[in-house]
Amino acid sequence: MNITLVCENSFEGIMTSIYDGWVLMNQGNMVDIYPGENYTPTFFSEYRNVVTDLEKSEKVAKSIQVKISIEAYIAVYRACMHYSSEKANIVFDFLKIGYKQGAKVMKMLGVPAVVALMELDRKVANEAHNFKGFLRFSELGGGLLFGKLEPRCDIIPLLEKHFSDRFPKENWIIYDSKRKKAVVHSAEGNCIMVMGKEVEESIGTLKVTDRYEELWKVFFKTINIEQRKNLKGQQTHLPQWYRKNMNEFR
């Protein structure tokens, strides 16, 4: 039987589906995994909704670390942050090989399933790295720092540690307007992830009071040398989708 498992578009949701999918696969079924809410049923596959189960998710996560490697776990985790609707199937195919080959699977670059996973991992890691430099914070009332981004991949979990280390004694929020989720850091060192409609409504009421924002824009224009302007080069180093929430381009 062809079965499509429709799960929550999160690392935990995908891991839960892999747990259930492995059982179904061992029963002789062909299994696909679709993360998200926009799945369209077909006549060729029976679809089943999968409820995220943290216990199952943790078992799969630990098995990757023990039976394959920590390196493989990190690659799988980041691949699950990609925007591709095929990412869960790519992870599933990779694990089918990884559980048989162990740690050496990470060097099997002639295997399509391994290459596909590494490509997702690379794109997510690169976008997260870029936003560490491109994310701009504005000061809100009470000294709260607010950074807004709209990344292609779900990279907020990958930015949390970097900015916690960089601003350990500040109150700050990083908000992903595309996925309606935010990571909130307190000056005491606590960091939590919040999401949902309430987050969107709360973010909408925040007002920027940063008096240095205009000075930054003036500085950005002042250092520009008109004769050396290279728009094509700028696009290469700073693509348009990074600029939407950068103060100097607003």
Side-chain angles (χ1 to χ4, degrees):
M1 180 180 291
N2 293 326
I3 299 174
T4 299
L5 301 178
V6 181
C7 66
E8 179 183 71
N9 189 11
S10 67
F11 176 74
E12 293 78 10
I14 293 172
M15 292 298 102
T16 301
S17 289
I18 287 174
Y19 184 99
D20 291 348
W22 210 272
V23 174
L24 292 169
M25 182 183 68
N26 288 334
Q27 294 172 350
N29 298 291
M30 297 291 292
V31 179
D32 286 317
I33 303 174
Y34 183 91
E37 301 176 349
N38 301 319
Y39 176 71
T40 302
T42 69
F43 291 110
F44 307 105
S45 180
E46 174 188 331
Y47 85 96
R48 301 180 185 178
N49 286 314
V50 175
V51 178
T52 300
D53 186 315
L54 296 181
E55 184 176 348
K56 291 180 179 179
S57 172
E58 187 175 352
K59 286 181 179 179
V60 176
K62 285 185 176 179
S63 72
I64 297 171
Q65 298 173 55
V66 173
K67 296 181 179 180
I68 307 178
S69 66
I70 297 295
E71 182 186 4
Y73 171 76
I74 293 172
V76 165
Y77 180 80
R78 286 198 293 234
C80 290
M81 303 294 108
H82 199 272
Y83 55 82
S84 172
S85 61
E86 287 297 317
K87 61 186 177 183
N89 285 325
I90 291 173
V91 169
F92 196 31
D93 290 340
F94 169 80
L95 293 179
K96 292 173 187 176
I97 301 170
Y99 284 136
K100 292 179 180 178
Q101 301 295 333
K104 66 180 181 181
V105 71
M106 298 302 291
K107 297 182 179 181
M108 298 172 62
L109 301 181
V111 179
V114 177
V115 174
L117 181 94
M118 302 290 263
E119 184 67 9
L120 295 187
D121 173 34
R122 182 186 65 82
K123 289 181 178 178
V124 173
N126 284 348
E127 187 173 27
H129 175 74
N130 288 338
F131 267 107
K132 289 176 183 178
F134 295 153
L135 179 64
R136 299 291 186 258
F137 285 94
S138 297
E139 185 176 352
L140 306 180
L144 174 66
L145 301 179
F146 176 73
K148 182 179 179 181
L149 43 73
E150 194 173 334
R152 291 182 172 183
C153 304
D154 184 11
I155 61 170
I156 277 189
L158 304 179
L159 298 178
E160 178 182 327
K161 185 179 186 306
H162 172 80
F163 286 103
S164 293
D165 292 341
R166 188 176 178 186
F167 303 121
K169 297 184 179 180
E170 302 287 346
N171 295 311
W172 50 259
I173 298 173
I174 299 176
Y175 175 60
D176 183 342
S177 60
K178 185 174 182 178
R179 295 166 183 82
K180 314 304 179 189
K181 64 191 295 185
V183 58
V184 181
H185 178 272
S186 69
E188 289 76 23
N190 298 320
C191 213
I192 61 171
M193 190 78 66
V194 291
M195 60 189 73
K197 186 177 179 181
E198 293 77 10
V199 177
E200 185 179 7
E201 293 175 349
S202 299
I203 294 297
T205 64
L206 298 177
K207 294 183 179 180
V208 176
T209 59
D210 191 352
R211 63 185 183 278
Y212 293 105
E213 185 169 316
E214 289 303 318
L215 292 176
W216 172 249
K217 291 179 181 178
V218 171
F219 170 74
F220 180 74
K221 291 180 179 179
T222 302
I223 63 171
N224 177 53
I225 301 175
E226 189 66 29
Q227 292 78 4
R228 295 185 179 179
K229 183 179 290 187
N230 183 349
L231 297 179
K232 187 175 181 180
Q234 290 179 16
Q235 290 280 12
T236 300
H237 296 288
L238 185 57
Q240 286 289 347
W241 76 83
Y242 290 109
R243 304 184 185 193
K244 186 174 181 180
N245 295 296
M246 295 177 70
N247 298 337
E248 56 267 45
F249 290 103
R250 282 208 297 263

PDB file of all heavy atoms in Angstrom, residues 184-205:
ATOM      1  N   VAL A 184      12.320  34.747  22.309  1.00  0.00           N
ATOM      2  CA  VAL A 184      12.336  35.845  23.279  1.00  0.00           C
ATOM      3  C   VAL A 184      13.419  35.567  24.315  1.00  0.00           C
ATOM      4  O   VAL A 184      13.425  34.507  24.945  1.00  0.00           O
ATOM      5  CB  VAL A 184      10.964  35.995  23.973  1.00  0.00           C
ATOM      6  CG1 VAL A 184      10.998  37.167  24.951  1.00  0.00           C
ATOM      7  CG2 VAL A 184       9.857  36.184  22.940  1.00  0.00           C
ATOM      8  N   HIS A 185      14.320  36.526  24.493  1.00  0.00           N
ATOM      9  CA  HIS A 185      15.436  36.374  25.433  1.00  0.00           C
ATOM     10  C   HIS A 185      15.318  37.428  26.529  1.00  0.00           C
ATOM     11  O   HIS A 185      15.084  38.600  26.260  1.00  0.00           O
ATOM     12  CB  HIS A 185      16.761  36.551  24.688  1.00  0.00           C
ATOM     13  CG  HIS A 185      17.971  36.450  25.569  1.00  0.00           C
ATOM     14  ND1 HIS A 185      18.510  37.537  26.229  1.00  0.00           N
ATOM     15  CD2 HIS A 185      18.754  35.384  25.905  1.00  0.00           C
ATOM     16  CE1 HIS A 185      19.565  37.155  26.921  1.00  0.00           C
ATOM     17  NE2 HIS A 185      19.744  35.859  26.739  1.00  0.00           N
ATOM     18  N   SER A 186      15.472  36.999  27.769  1.00  0.00           N
ATOM     19  CA  SER A 186      15.437  37.934  28.897  1.00  0.00           C
ATOM     20  C   SER A 186      16.852  38.203  29.385  1.00  0.00           C
ATOM     21  O   SER A 186      17.768  37.392  29.177  1.00  0.00           O
ATOM     22  CB  SER A 186      14.605  37.364  30.046  1.00  0.00           C
ATOM     23  OG  SER A 186      15.255  36.261  30.650  1.00  0.00           O
ATOM     24  N   ALA A 187      17.046  39.329  30.051  1.00  0.00           N
ATOM     25  CA  ALA A 187      18.363  39.715  30.550  1.00  0.00           C
ATOM     26  C   ALA A 187      18.883  38.724  31.589  1.00  0.00           C
ATOM     27  O   ALA A 187      20.090  38.648  31.838  1.00  0.00           O
ATOM     28  CB  ALA A 187      18.308  41.119  31.147  1.00  0.00           C
ATOM     29  N   GLU A 188      17.988  37.953  32.174  1.00  0.00           N
ATOM     30  CA  GLU A 188      18.395  36.945  33.154  1.00  0.00           C
ATOM     31  C   GLU A 188      19.004  35.709  32.486  1.00  0.00           C
ATOM     32  O   GLU A 188      19.514  34.814  33.156  1.00  0.00           O
ATOM     33  CB  GLU A 188      17.203  36.504  34.007  1.00  0.00           C
ATOM     34  CG  GLU A 188      16.704  37.548  34.993  1.00  0.00           C
ATOM     35  CD  GLU A 188      15.893  38.646  34.320  1.00  0.00           C
ATOM     36  OE1 GLU A 188      15.353  38.401  33.219  1.00  0.00           O
ATOM     37  OE2 GLU A 188      15.823  39.757  34.881  1.00  0.00           O
ATOM     38  N   GLY A 189      18.892  35.640  31.170  1.00  0.00           N
ATOM     39  CA  GLY A 189      19.490  34.535  30.449  1.00  0.00           C
ATOM     40  C   GLY A 189      18.513  33.503  29.935  1.00  0.00           C
ATOM     41  O   GLY A 189      18.902  32.565  29.242  1.00  0.00           O
ATOM     42  N   ASN A 190      17.234  33.637  30.270  1.00  0.00           N
ATOM     43  CA  ASN A 190      16.235  32.682  29.794  1.00  0.00           C
ATOM     44  C   ASN A 190      15.858  32.980  28.353  1.00  0.00           C
ATOM     45  O   ASN A 190      15.785  34.137  27.936  1.00  0.00           O
ATOM     46  CB  ASN A 190      14.987  32.734  30.681  1.00  0.00           C
ATOM     47  CG  ASN A 190      15.292  32.342  32.112  1.00  0.00           C
ATOM     48  OD1 ASN A 190      16.064  31.429  32.341  1.00  0.00           O
ATOM     49  ND2 ASN A 190      14.699  33.043  33.064  1.00  0.00           N
ATOM     50  N   CYS A 191      15.593  31.917  27.584  1.00  0.00           N
ATOM     51  CA  CYS A 191      15.242  32.057  26.176  1.00  0.00           C
ATOM     52  C   CYS A 191      14.110  31.091  25.854  1.00  0.00           C
ATOM     53  O   CYS A 191      14.200  29.898  26.157  1.00  0.00           O
ATOM     54  CB  CYS A 191      16.460  31.742  25.318  1.00  0.00           C
ATOM     55  SG  CYS A 191      16.548  32.679  23.787  1.00  0.00           S
ATOM     56  N   ILE A 192      13.012  31.593  25.280  1.00  0.00           N
ATOM     57  CA  ILE A 192      11.880  30.738  24.958  1.00  0.00           C
ATOM     58  C   ILE A 192      11.413  31.002  23.527  1.00  0.00           C
ATOM     59  O   ILE A 192      11.632  32.081  22.975  1.00  0.00           O
ATOM     60  CB  ILE A 192      10.691  30.937  25.926  1.00  0.00           C
ATOM     61  CG1 ILE A 192      10.185  32.394  25.864  1.00  0.00           C
ATOM     62  CG2 ILE A 192      11.067  30.557  27.342  1.00  0.00           C
ATOM     63  CD1 ILE A 192       8.895  32.614  26.620  1.00  0.00           C
ATOM     64  N   MET A 193      10.773  29.993  22.944  1.00  0.00           N
ATOM     65  CA  MET A 193      10.212  30.101  21.599  1.00  0.00           C
ATOM     66  C   MET A 193       8.705  30.222  21.724  1.00  0.00           C
ATOM     67  O   MET A 193       8.068  29.440  22.439  1.00  0.00           O
ATOM     68  CB  MET A 193      10.564  28.865  20.776  1.00  0.00           C
ATOM     69  CG  MET A 193      10.241  28.990  19.298  1.00  0.00           C
ATOM     70  SD  MET A 193      11.445  29.979  18.397  1.00  0.00           S
ATOM     71  CE  MET A 193      12.904  28.943  18.540  1.00  0.00           C
ATOM     72  N   VAL A 194       8.124  31.213  21.062  1.00  0.00           N
ATOM     73  CA  VAL A 194       6.676  31.407  21.094  1.00  0.00           C
ATOM     74  C   VAL A 194       6.165  31.513  19.665  1.00  0.00           C
ATOM     75  O   VAL A 194       6.861  31.987  18.775  1.00  0.00           O
ATOM     76  CB  VAL A 194       6.284  32.666  21.899  1.00  0.00           C
ATOM     77  CG1 VAL A 194       6.572  32.476  23.378  1.00  0.00           C
ATOM     78  CG2 VAL A 194       7.025  33.893  21.377  1.00  0.00           C
ATOM     79  N   MET A 195       4.946  31.064  19.436  1.00  0.00           N
ATOM     80  CA  MET A 195       4.389  31.116  18.085  1.00  0.00           C
ATOM     81  C   MET A 195       2.866  31.131  18.146  1.00  0.00           C
ATOM     82  O   MET A 195       2.272  30.904  19.202  1.00  0.00           O
ATOM     83  CB  MET A 195       4.871  29.913  17.271  1.00  0.00           C
ATOM     84  CG  MET A 195       4.493  28.563  17.831  1.00  0.00           C
ATOM     85  SD  MET A 195       5.333  27.208  16.956  1.00  0.00           S
ATOM     86  CE  MET A 195       6.997  27.406  17.570  1.00  0.00           C
ATOM     87  N   GLY A 196       2.244  31.404  16.999  1.00  0.00           N
ATOM     88  CA  GLY A 196       0.788  31.398  16.934  1.00  0.00           C
ATOM     89  C   GLY A 196       0.216  32.781  16.674  1.00  0.00           C
ATOM     90  O   GLY A 196       0.937  33.778  16.552  1.00  0.00           O
ATOM     91  N   LYS A 197      -1.092  32.845  16.598  1.00  0.00           N
ATOM     92  CA  LYS A 197      -1.803  34.086  16.284  1.00  0.00           C
ATOM     93  C   LYS A 197      -1.540  35.165  17.323  1.00  0.00           C
ATOM     94  O   LYS A 197      -1.436  36.349  17.000  1.00  0.00           O
ATOM     95  CB  LYS A 197      -3.309  33.804  16.192  1.00  0.00           C
ATOM     96  CG  LYS A 197      -4.127  34.995  15.729  1.00  0.00           C
ATOM     97  CD  LYS A 197      -5.593  34.620  15.597  1.00  0.00           C
ATOM     98  CE  LYS A 197      -6.421  35.832  15.144  1.00  0.00           C
ATOM     99  NZ  LYS A 197      -7.859  35.494  15.026  1.00  0.00           N
ATOM    100  N   GLU A 198      -1.422  34.762  18.588  1.00  0.00           N
ATOM    101  CA  GLU A 198      -1.204  35.728  19.659  1.00  0.00           C
ATOM    102  C   GLU A 198       0.115  36.469  19.476  1.00  0.00           C
ATOM    103  O   GLU A 198       0.229  37.656  19.775  1.00  0.00           O
ATOM    104  CB  GLU A 198      -1.226  35.035  21.023  1.00  0.00           C
ATOM    105  CG  GLU A 198      -2.571  34.465  21.440  1.00  0.00           C
ATOM    106  CD  GLU A 198      -2.908  33.158  20.731  1.00  0.00           C
ATOM    107  OE1 GLU A 198      -2.009  32.604  20.067  1.00  0.00           O
ATOM    108  OE2 GLU A 198      -4.068  32.713  20.836  1.00  0.00           O
ATOM    109  N   VAL A 199       1.122  35.754  18.979  1.00  0.00           N
ATOM    110  CA  VAL A 199       2.426  36.371  18.744  1.00  0.00           C
ATOM    111  C   VAL A 199       2.306  37.459  17.684  1.00  0.00           C
ATOM    112  O   VAL A 199       2.794  38.575  17.853  1.00  0.00           O
ATOM    113  CB  VAL A 199       3.466  35.321  18.292  1.00  0.00           C
ATOM    114  CG1 VAL A 199       4.794  35.991  17.982  1.00  0.00           C
ATOM    115  CG2 VAL A 199       3.627  34.260  19.351  1.00  0.00           C
ATOM    116  N   GLU A 200       1.618  37.152  16.595  1.00  0.00           N
ATOM    117  CA  GLU A 200       1.439  38.114  15.505  1.00  0.00           C
ATOM    118  C   GLU A 200       0.726  39.364  15.998  1.00  0.00           C
ATOM    119  O   GLU A 200       1.106  40.491  15.670  1.00  0.00           O
ATOM    120  CB  GLU A 200       0.652  37.461  14.368  1.00  0.00           C
ATOM    121  CG  GLU A 200       0.518  38.342  13.138  1.00  0.00           C
ATOM    122  CD  GLU A 200      -0.241  37.643  12.023  1.00  0.00           C
ATOM    123  OE1 GLU A 200      -0.781  36.541  12.249  1.00  0.00           O
ATOM    124  OE2 GLU A 200      -0.305  38.228  10.930  1.00  0.00           O
ATOM    125  N   GLU A 201      -0.309  39.188  16.792  1.00  0.00           N
ATOM    126  CA  GLU A 201      -1.071  40.328  17.307  1.00  0.00           C
ATOM    127  C   GLU A 201      -0.230  41.163  18.261  1.00  0.00           C
ATOM    128  O   GLU A 201      -0.273  42.395  18.248  1.00  0.00           O
ATOM    129  CB  GLU A 201      -2.345  39.831  17.997  1.00  0.00           C
ATOM    130  CG  GLU A 201      -3.343  39.202  17.030  1.00  0.00           C
ATOM    131  CD  GLU A 201      -4.540  38.597  17.749  1.00  0.00           C
ATOM    132  OE1 GLU A 201      -4.488  38.488  19.001  1.00  0.00           O
ATOM    133  OE2 GLU A 201      -5.527  38.242  17.077  1.00  0.00           O
ATOM    134  N   SER A 202       0.565  40.493  19.100  1.00  0.00           N
ATOM    135  CA  SER A 202       1.407  41.207  20.067  1.00  0.00           C
ATOM    136  C   SER A 202       2.506  41.988  19.365  1.00  0.00           C
ATOM    137  O   SER A 202       2.783  43.143  19.707  1.00  0.00           O
ATOM    138  CB  SER A 202       2.025  40.219  21.063  1.00  0.00           C
ATOM    139  OG  SER A 202       1.022  39.552  21.794  1.00  0.00           O
ATOM    140  N   ILE A 203       3.137  41.376  18.355  1.00  0.00           N
ATOM    141  CA  ILE A 203       4.210  42.044  17.615  1.00  0.00           C
ATOM    142  C   ILE A 203       3.671  43.279  16.906  1.00  0.00           C
ATOM    143  O   ILE A 203       4.341  44.308  16.800  1.00  0.00           O
ATOM    144  CB  ILE A 203       4.844  41.081  16.593  1.00  0.00           C
ATOM    145  CG1 ILE A 203       5.568  39.937  17.310  1.00  0.00           C
ATOM    146  CG2 ILE A 203       5.802  41.810  15.660  1.00  0.00           C
ATOM    147  CD1 ILE A 203       6.732  40.354  18.171  1.00  0.00           C
ATOM    148  N   GLY A 204       2.423  43.191  16.435  1.00  0.00           N
ATOM    149  CA  GLY A 204       1.815  44.303  15.721  1.00  0.00           C
ATOM    150  C   GLY A 204       1.634  45.550  16.557  1.00  0.00           C
ATOM    151  O   GLY A 204       1.507  46.655  16.028  1.00  0.00           O
ATOM    152  N   THR A 205       1.625  45.406  17.881  1.00  0.00           N
ATOM    153  CA  THR A 205       1.427  46.557  18.772  1.00  0.00           C
ATOM    154  C   THR A 205       2.739  47.214  19.176  1.00  0.00           C
ATOM    155  O   THR A 205       2.736  48.279  19.795  1.00  0.00           O
ATOM    156  CB  THR A 205       0.687  46.116  20.052  1.00  0.00           C
ATOM    157  OG1 THR A 205       1.512  45.180  20.778  1.00  0.00           O
ATOM    158  CG2 THR A 205      -0.640  45.458  19.711  1.00  0.00           C
TER     159      THR A 205
END
